[in-house]
Amino acid sequence: MTGRLIVTLALALATSSLAPRPASAEGDAAAGKAIFQRTCENCHAVAIGVNKVGPSLWNVVDRKPAAVPDFAYSDAMKANKAAWTPTALDAYLADPRGDVHGVKMFFKGLPNPADRANVIAYLQTLK
Ligand code: HEC
């Protein structure tokens, strides 16, 4: 009986230490991955060089906007010079169409700040 309990506890500990740790103090990368798979993955792959409706988001955090080769960005995105810091991503994902005027990303955005923090924490793991 006790042995079984200890095994269960040990398993629980082992699994939790294997889970991806949050990349930032605010965001939870594991929760962000689930949100990403639900809301971004139709349009964005996370593998290098795989462009769908949107560009690959591999290593997007801190890179310059419109940097993926072979992706046809909007002129507005090409003119956007501010690197994708977590702060810039937060503003963009809150209101993609309002942030970079005329962007092609037909996505209403993530209104919940916690969802954005989690997705950004997940994006930070893609390196
Ligand atoms: C309906 C399709 C669609 C969805 C859904 C979508 N995107 Fe996009 N995304 C795009 C397109 C298209 C672009 C290119 C925009 C442009 O050129 O103006 C883009 C651009 C981006 C960029 C800038 C990339 C770069 O290389 O500069 C980021 C970051 C981004 N999306 C993140 C996300 C995240 C995170 C989500 C989910 C929360 C998401 N997108 C959901 C289509 C989408």
Side-chain angles (χ1 to χ4, degrees), residues 24-97:
S24 83
E26 304 139 41
D28 175 341
K33 181 175 186 175
I35 297 168
F36 188 92
Q37 287 172 336
R38 259 197 330 269
T39 49
C40 319
E41 213 167 57
N42 281 339
C43 298
H44 289 288
V46 296
I48 305 178
V50 180
N51 298 326
K52 297 163 100 176
V53 172
S56 163
L57 292 184
W58 180 79
N59 200 21
V60 72
V61 180
D62 292 330
R63 91 179 173 203
K64 281 195 237 133
V68 172
D70 308 323
F71 184 80
Y73 288 98
S74 65
D75 289 339
M77 190 58 82
K78 285 190 252 177
N80 181 17
K81 300 291 178 215
W84 287 126
T85 58
T87 311
L89 283 167
D90 185 66
Y92 182 56
L93 296 177
D95 181 12
R97 316 246 335 135

Coordinates of all heavy atoms in Angstrom, one line a residue, residues 24-97:
S24 N 9.6 32.5 -18.8 CA 9.6 33.9 -18.1 C 8.9 33.8 -16.8 O 8.2 32.8 -16.5 CB 9.0 34.9 -19.0 OG 7.6 34.9 -18.8
A25 N 9.1 34.8 -16.0 CA 8.4 34.8 -14.7 C 6.9 34.8 -14.8 O 6.2 34.2 -14.0 CB 8.9 36.0 -13.9
E26 N 6.4 35.4 -15.8 CA 5.0 35.6 -15.9 C 4.3 34.5 -16.7 O 3.2 34.1 -16.4 CB 4.6 36.9 -16.6 CG 5.2 38.1 -16.0 CD 5.7 39.1 -17.0 OE1 5.0 39.3 -18.0 OE2 6.8 39.7 -16.8
G27 N 4.9 34.0 -17.7 CA 4.2 33.0 -18.6 C 4.5 31.6 -18.3 O 5.6 31.2 -17.8
D28 N 3.6 30.7 -18.7 CA 3.7 29.3 -18.5 C 3.8 28.7 -19.9 O 2.8 28.6 -20.6 CB 2.5 28.8 -17.7 CG 2.4 27.3 -17.6 OD1 3.1 26.6 -18.3 OD2 1.7 26.8 -16.7
A29 N 5.0 28.2 -20.3 CA 5.2 27.7 -21.6 C 4.3 26.5 -22.0 O 3.9 26.4 -23.1 CB 6.7 27.4 -21.8
A30 N 4.1 25.7 -21.0 CA 3.2 24.5 -21.3 C 1.8 24.9 -21.6 O 1.2 24.4 -22.6 CB 3.3 23.5 -20.1
A31 N 1.3 25.8 -20.9 CA -0.1 26.4 -21.1 C -0.1 27.1 -22.5 O -1.0 27.0 -23.2 CB -0.5 27.3 -20.0
G32 N 1.0 27.8 -22.7 CA 1.1 28.6 -24.0 C 1.2 27.7 -25.2 O 0.6 28.0 -26.2
K33 N 1.8 26.5 -25.0 CA 1.9 25.6 -26.2 C 0.4 25.1 -26.5 O 0.1 25.0 -27.7 CB 2.7 24.4 -25.8 CG 2.9 23.4 -26.9 CD 3.8 22.3 -26.6 CE 4.0 21.4 -27.8 NZ 5.0 20.4 -27.6
A34 N -0.4 24.9 -25.5 CA -1.7 24.4 -25.8 C -2.5 25.5 -26.5 O -3.3 25.3 -27.4 CB -2.4 24.0 -24.5
I35 N -2.3 26.7 -26.1 CA -3.0 27.9 -26.7 C -2.5 28.0 -28.1 O -3.3 28.2 -29.1 CB -2.8 29.2 -25.9 CG1 -3.4 29.1 -24.5 CG2 -3.4 30.4 -26.7 CD1 -3.0 30.2 -23.6
F36 N -1.2 27.9 -28.3 CA -0.6 28.0 -29.6 C -1.2 26.9 -30.6 O -1.6 27.2 -31.7 CB 0.9 27.8 -29.6 CG 1.6 28.1 -30.9 CD1 2.1 29.3 -31.2 CD2 1.7 27.1 -31.8 CE1 2.7 29.6 -32.4 CE2 2.3 27.3 -33.0 CZ 2.8 28.6 -33.3
Q37 N -1.3 25.7 -30.1 CA -1.9 24.6 -30.9 C -3.3 24.9 -31.3 O -3.8 24.5 -32.4 CB -1.7 23.3 -30.2 CG -0.2 22.9 -30.3 CD 0.1 21.6 -29.4 OE1 -0.6 21.3 -28.5 NE2 1.2 21.0 -29.7
R38 N -4.1 25.5 -30.4 CA -5.5 25.8 -30.6 C -5.6 27.0 -31.6 O -6.5 27.0 -32.4 CB -6.2 26.2 -29.3 CG -7.0 25.1 -28.7 CD -8.0 25.5 -27.7 NE -7.7 26.7 -26.9 CZ -7.0 26.6 -25.7 NH1 -6.6 25.5 -25.2 NH2 -6.8 27.7 -25.0
T39 N -4.8 28.1 -31.4 CA -5.1 29.3 -32.0 C -4.1 29.8 -33.1 O -4.4 30.6 -33.9 CB -5.3 30.5 -31.0 OG1 -4.2 30.4 -30.1 CG2 -6.5 30.3 -30.2
C40 N -2.9 29.3 -33.1 CA -1.9 29.8 -34.0 C -1.5 28.8 -35.1 O -1.1 29.1 -36.2 CB -0.7 30.3 -33.3 SG -0.9 31.1 -31.7
E41 N -1.6 27.5 -34.7 CA -0.9 26.5 -35.5 C -1.6 26.3 -36.9 O -0.9 25.8 -37.8 CB -0.9 25.2 -34.8 CG 0.3 24.3 -35.1 CD 0.5 23.2 -34.1 OE1 -0.5 22.4 -33.9 OE2 1.5 23.1 -33.4
N42 N -2.8 26.7 -37.0 CA -3.4 26.6 -38.4 C -2.6 27.4 -39.4 O -2.6 27.1 -40.5 CB -4.9 27.2 -38.4 CG -5.8 26.2 -37.8 OD1 -5.6 25.0 -37.8 ND2 -7.0 26.6 -37.3
C43 N -2.1 28.5 -38.9 CA -1.4 29.4 -39.8 C 0.1 29.4 -39.6 O 0.8 29.9 -40.5 CB -1.9 30.9 -39.6 SG -3.7 31.1 -39.9
H44 N 0.6 29.0 -38.5 CA 2.1 29.1 -38.2 C 2.6 27.7 -37.8 O 2.2 27.1 -36.8 CB 2.3 30.0 -37.0 CG 2.1 31.5 -37.3 ND1 2.9 32.2 -38.1 CD2 1.1 32.3 -36.9 CE1 2.4 33.5 -38.1 NE2 1.3 33.6 -37.4
A45 N 3.7 27.3 -38.5 CA 4.5 26.2 -38.0 C 5.6 26.7 -37.1 O 5.9 27.9 -37.1 CB 5.1 25.5 -39.2
V46 N 6.1 25.8 -36.3 CA 7.2 26.2 -35.4 C 8.6 25.6 -35.9 O 9.6 25.9 -35.3 CB 7.0 25.8 -33.9 CG1 5.8 26.6 -33.4 CG2 6.8 24.4 -33.8
A47 N 8.5 24.8 -36.9 CA 9.8 24.3 -37.5 C 10.4 25.3 -38.4 O 9.8 26.2 -39.0 CB 9.4 23.0 -38.3
I48 N 11.8 25.2 -38.4 CA 12.5 26.2 -39.2 C 12.1 26.0 -40.7 O 12.0 24.9 -41.2 CB 14.1 25.9 -39.2 CG1 14.5 25.9 -37.7 CG2 14.9 26.9 -40.0 CD1 16.0 25.5 -37.6
G49 N 11.9 27.2 -41.3 CA 11.7 27.2 -42.8 C 10.3 26.7 -43.3 O 10.1 26.5 -44.5
V50 N 9.4 26.3 -42.4 CA 8.1 25.9 -42.8 C 7.1 27.0 -42.7 O 6.7 27.4 -41.6 CB 7.6 24.7 -41.9 CG1 6.2 24.2 -42.4 CG2 8.6 23.5 -42.0
N51 N 6.7 27.5 -43.9 CA 5.8 28.6 -43.9 C 4.4 28.1 -44.3 O 4.3 27.3 -45.2 CB 6.2 29.7 -44.9 CG 7.5 30.3 -44.4 OD1 7.8 30.5 -43.3 ND2 8.4 30.7 -45.4
K52 N 3.4 28.5 -43.6 CA 2.0 28.2 -43.9 C 1.3 29.5 -44.4 O 1.9 30.2 -45.2 CB 1.3 27.6 -42.7 CG 2.0 26.2 -42.2 CD 1.6 25.9 -40.8 CE 0.5 24.8 -40.8 NZ 0.3 24.4 -39.4
V53 N 0.1 29.7 -43.9 CA -0.5 31.0 -44.2 C 0.4 32.2 -43.6 O 0.5 33.2 -44.2 CB -1.9 31.1 -43.6 CG1 -2.5 32.5 -43.8 CG2 -2.8 30.1 -44.3
G54 N 1.0 31.9 -42.5 CA 1.9 32.8 -41.8 C 3.3 32.2 -41.8 O 3.5 31.0 -42.1
P55 N 4.3 33.0 -41.5 CA 5.7 32.6 -41.5 C 6.0 31.6 -40.3 O 5.3 31.6 -39.3 CB 6.5 33.9 -41.3 CG 5.5 34.8 -40.6 CD 4.2 34.4 -41.1
S56 N 7.0 30.8 -40.5 CA 7.5 30.0 -39.4 C 7.8 30.9 -38.2 O 8.4 31.9 -38.3 CB 8.8 29.2 -39.8 OG 9.4 28.7 -38.6
L57 N 7.4 30.4 -37.0 CA 7.7 31.2 -35.8 C 8.9 30.7 -35.0 O 9.1 31.0 -33.8 CB 6.4 31.3 -34.9 CG 5.3 32.2 -35.5 CD1 4.2 32.3 -34.5 CD2 5.8 33.5 -36.0
W58 N 9.7 29.8 -35.6 CA 10.9 29.3 -34.9 C 11.8 30.5 -34.6 O 12.0 31.4 -35.5 CB 11.6 28.3 -35.8 CG 12.9 27.8 -35.1 CD1 12.9 26.9 -34.2 CD2 14.2 28.3 -35.3 NE1 14.2 26.7 -33.8 CE2 15.0 27.5 -34.4 CE3 14.8 29.2 -36.2 CZ2 16.4 27.7 -34.3 CZ3 16.1 29.4 -36.1 CH2 16.9 28.7 -35.2
N59 N 12.2 30.6 -33.4 CA 13.2 31.6 -32.9 C 12.6 33.0 -33.2 O 13.4 33.9 -33.4 CB 14.5 31.4 -33.7 CG 15.6 32.1 -33.0 OD1 15.6 32.4 -31.8 ND2 16.7 32.3 -33.7
V60 N 11.3 33.3 -33.1 CA 10.8 34.6 -33.4 C 11.1 35.6 -32.3 O 11.3 36.8 -32.6 CB 9.3 34.5 -33.7 CG1 8.5 34.3 -32.4 CG2 8.8 35.8 -34.3
V61 N 11.3 35.2 -31.1 CA 11.4 36.1 -30.0 C 12.8 36.8 -30.1 O 13.8 36.2 -30.3 CB 11.3 35.5 -28.6 CG1 11.5 36.5 -27.5 CG2 10.0 34.8 -28.5
D62 N 12.7 38.2 -30.2 CA 13.9 39.0 -30.3 C 14.5 39.1 -31.7 O 15.4 39.8 -31.9 CB 15.0 38.7 -29.3 CG 14.6 39.0 -27.9 OD1 13.8 39.9 -27.7 OD2 15.1 38.3 -26.9
R63 N 13.8 38.5 -32.7 CA 14.3 38.7 -34.0 C 13.6 39.8 -34.7 O 12.6 40.3 -34.2 CB 14.2 37.4 -34.9 CG 12.9 37.3 -35.6 CD 12.8 36.0 -36.5 NE 11.4 35.9 -37.0 CZ 10.9 34.7 -37.4 NH1 11.6 33.6 -37.3 NH2 9.7 34.7 -37.9
K64 N 14.1 40.3 -35.8 CA 13.5 41.4 -36.5 C 12.2 40.9 -37.2 O 12.1 39.8 -37.7 CB 14.4 42.0 -37.6 CG 15.5 42.9 -37.0 CD 16.1 43.7 -38.1 CE 17.6 43.5 -38.1 NZ 18.2 43.2 -39.3
P65 N 11.2 41.8 -37.3 CA 10.0 41.4 -38.0 C 10.3 41.1 -39.5 O 11.3 41.7 -40.0 CB 9.1 42.6 -37.9 CG 9.6 43.4 -36.7 CD 11.1 43.1 -36.7
A66 N 9.5 40.3 -40.1 CA 9.6 40.0 -41.5 C 10.9 39.5 -41.9 O 11.5 39.8 -43.0 CB 9.2 41.3 -42.4
A67 N 11.5 38.6 -41.1 CA 12.9 38.1 -41.3 C 12.9 36.7 -42.0 O 13.9 36.2 -42.3 CB 13.7 38.1 -40.0
V68 N 11.7 36.1 -42.1 CA 11.7 34.7 -42.7 C 11.9 34.8 -44.2 O 11.1 35.4 -44.8 CB 10.4 34.0 -42.3 CG1 10.4 32.6 -43.0 CG2 10.4 33.7 -40.8
P69 N 12.9 34.1 -44.7 CA 13.1 34.2 -46.2 C 11.9 33.4 -46.9 O 11.3 32.6 -46.3 CB 14.4 33.4 -46.4 CG 14.9 33.1 -45.1 CD 13.9 33.3 -44.1
D70 N 11.6 33.8 -48.1 CA 10.5 33.2 -48.9 C 9.1 33.3 -48.3 O 8.2 32.6 -48.7 CB 10.8 31.7 -49.0 CG 12.2 31.4 -49.6 OD1 12.7 32.2 -50.4 OD2 12.8 30.4 -49.1
F71 N 8.9 34.3 -47.4 CA 7.6 34.5 -47.0 C 7.2 35.9 -47.5 O 7.9 36.9 -47.3 CB 7.4 34.4 -45.4 CG 5.9 34.6 -45.0 CD1 5.0 33.6 -45.1 CD2 5.5 35.9 -44.7 CE1 3.7 33.7 -44.9 CE2 4.1 36.1 -44.4 CZ 3.2 35.0 -44.5
A72 N 6.0 35.9 -48.1 CA 5.5 37.2 -48.7 C 4.8 38.0 -47.6 O 3.6 38.0 -47.4 CB 4.5 36.9 -49.8
Y73 N 5.6 38.8 -46.8 CA 5.0 39.7 -45.8 C 4.3 40.9 -46.4 O 4.6 41.3 -47.6 CB 6.1 40.2 -44.9 CG 6.8 39.2 -44.0 CD1 8.0 38.6 -44.4 CD2 6.2 38.9 -42.8 CE1 8.6 37.7 -43.5 CE2 6.9 38.0 -41.9 CZ 8.0 37.4 -42.3 OH 8.6 36.5 -41.5
S74 N 3.4 41.5 -45.6 CA 2.8 42.7 -46.1 C 3.8 43.8 -46.0 O 4.8 43.7 -45.3 CB 1.6 43.1 -45.1 OG 2.2 43.3 -43.8
D75 N 3.6 44.9 -46.8 CA 4.5 46.0 -46.7 C 4.6 46.6 -45.3 O 5.7 47.1 -44.9 CB 4.1 47.1 -47.7 CG 4.3 46.7 -49.2 OD1 5.1 45.7 -49.4 OD2 3.7 47.2 -50.1
A76 N 3.5 46.6 -44.6 CA 3.4 47.2 -43.3 C 4.4 46.4 -42.4 O 5.1 46.9 -41.5 CB 2.0 47.2 -42.7
M77 N 4.4 45.0 -42.5 CA 5.2 44.2 -41.7 C 6.7 44.4 -42.0 O 7.6 44.5 -41.2 CB 4.8 42.8 -41.8 CG 5.5 41.8 -40.7 SD 5.2 42.3 -39.0 CE 3.6 41.6 -38.7
K78 N 7.0 44.6 -43.3 CA 8.3 44.8 -43.8 C 8.9 46.1 -43.3 O 10.0 46.3 -43.0 CB 8.4 44.7 -45.3 CG 8.4 43.3 -45.8 CD 8.7 43.3 -47.3 CE 7.5 43.0 -48.1 NZ 7.7 43.0 -49.6
A79 N 7.9 47.1 -43.1 CA 8.3 48.5 -42.6 C 8.5 48.5 -41.1 O 9.0 49.5 -40.6 CB 7.3 49.5 -43.1
N80 N 8.0 47.4 -40.4 CA 8.1 47.4 -39.0 C 9.5 47.0 -38.5 O 10.0 45.9 -38.8 CB 7.1 46.3 -38.5 CG 7.0 46.2 -37.0 OD1 7.5 47.1 -36.3 ND2 6.4 45.1 -36.6
K81 N 10.2 47.9 -37.9 CA 11.6 47.7 -37.6 C 11.8 47.3 -36.1 O 12.9 47.0 -35.7 CB 12.4 49.0 -37.8 CG 12.4 49.5 -39.3 CD 13.1 48.5 -40.2 CE 13.0 48.9 -41.7 NZ 12.9 47.8 -42.6
A82 N 10.8 47.3 -35.3 CA 11.0 47.0 -33.9 C 11.0 45.5 -33.7 O 10.1 44.8 -34.0 CB 9.8 47.6 -33.1
A83 N 12.1 45.0 -33.1 CA 12.3 43.6 -32.9 C 11.2 43.0 -32.0 O 10.5 43.7 -31.3 CB 13.6 43.4 -32.1
W84 N 10.9 41.7 -32.3 CA 9.9 41.0 -31.5 C 10.3 40.7 -30.1 O 10.5 39.5 -29.8 CB 9.4 39.8 -32.3 CG 8.7 40.0 -33.5 CD1 8.9 39.5 -34.7 CD2 7.4 40.7 -33.7 NE1 8.0 39.9 -35.7 CE2 7.1 40.6 -35.0 CE3 6.6 41.5 -32.8 CZ2 5.9 41.3 -35.5 CZ3 5.5 42.1 -33.3 CH2 5.1 42.0 -34.6
T85 N 10.4 41.7 -29.3 CA 10.7 41.5 -27.9 C 9.3 41.0 -27.3 O 8.3 41.1 -27.9 CB 11.0 42.8 -27.2 OG1 9.9 43.7 -27.4 CG2 12.3 43.4 -27.7
P86 N 9.4 40.4 -26.1 CA 8.2 40.0 -25.4 C 7.1 41.1 -25.3 O 5.9 40.9 -25.5 CB 8.6 39.5 -24.0 CG 10.0 39.0 -24.3 CD 10.6 39.9 -25.3
T87 N 7.6 42.3 -25.1 CA 6.7 43.5 -25.0 C 6.0 43.8 -26.4 O 4.8 44.0 -26.4 CB 7.4 44.7 -24.5 OG1 8.2 44.4 -23.4 CG2 6.5 45.9 -24.2
A88 N 6.8 43.7 -27.4 CA 6.3 44.0 -28.8 C 5.3 42.9 -29.2 O 4.3 43.1 -29.7 CB 7.4 44.1 -29.8
L89 N 5.7 41.6 -28.8 CA 4.8 40.5 -29.1 C 3.5 40.7 -28.4 O 2.4 40.4 -28.9 CB 5.4 39.2 -28.8 CG 6.5 38.7 -29.7 CD1 7.3 37.6 -29.1 CD2 5.9 38.2 -31.1
D90 N 3.5 41.1 -27.1 CA 2.3 41.3 -26.3 C 1.4 42.3 -27.0 O 0.2 42.0 -27.1 CB 2.7 41.7 -24.9 CG 1.5 41.8 -24.0 OD1 1.0 40.7 -23.7 OD2 1.2 42.9 -23.6
A91 N 2.0 43.4 -27.4 CA 1.1 44.4 -28.1 C 0.5 43.9 -29.4 O -0.6 44.1 -29.7 CB 2.0 45.7 -28.3
Y92 N 1.4 43.2 -30.2 CA 0.9 42.7 -31.5 C -0.2 41.6 -31.3 O -1.2 41.7 -31.9 CB 2.1 42.0 -32.2 CG 1.8 41.5 -33.6 CD1 1.2 42.3 -34.5 CD2 2.1 40.2 -33.9 CE1 0.9 41.8 -35.8 CE2 1.8 39.7 -35.2 CZ 1.2 40.5 -36.1 OH 0.9 40.0 -37.4
L93 N 0.0 40.7 -30.3 CA -1.0 39.6 -30.2 C -2.3 40.1 -29.5 O -3.3 39.5 -29.7 CB -0.4 38.5 -29.4 CG 0.8 37.8 -30.1 CD1 1.4 36.7 -29.2 CD2 0.4 37.2 -31.4
A94 N -2.2 41.2 -28.8 CA -3.4 41.8 -28.2 C -4.3 42.3 -29.3 O -5.6 42.2 -29.3 CB -3.1 42.9 -27.3
D95 N -3.8 42.8 -30.4 CA -4.6 43.4 -31.5 C -3.7 43.5 -32.8 O -3.2 44.5 -33.2 CB -5.0 44.8 -31.1 CG -5.8 45.5 -32.1 OD1 -6.3 44.8 -33.1 OD2 -6.1 46.7 -32.0
P96 N -3.6 42.3 -33.4 CA -2.7 42.2 -34.6 C -3.0 43.2 -35.7 O -2.1 43.8 -36.2 CB -2.9 40.8 -35.1 CG -3.4 40.0 -34.0 CD -4.2 41.0 -33.1
R97 N -4.3 43.5 -35.9 CA -4.6 44.4 -37.0 C -4.4 45.8 -36.6 O -4.2 46.7 -37.5 CB -6.0 44.1 -37.5 CG -6.3 42.6 -37.6 CD -6.6 42.0 -39.0 NE -7.0 42.8 -40.0 CZ -6.5 42.8 -41.3 NH1 -5.5 42.0 -41.5 NH2 -7.1 43.5 -42.2

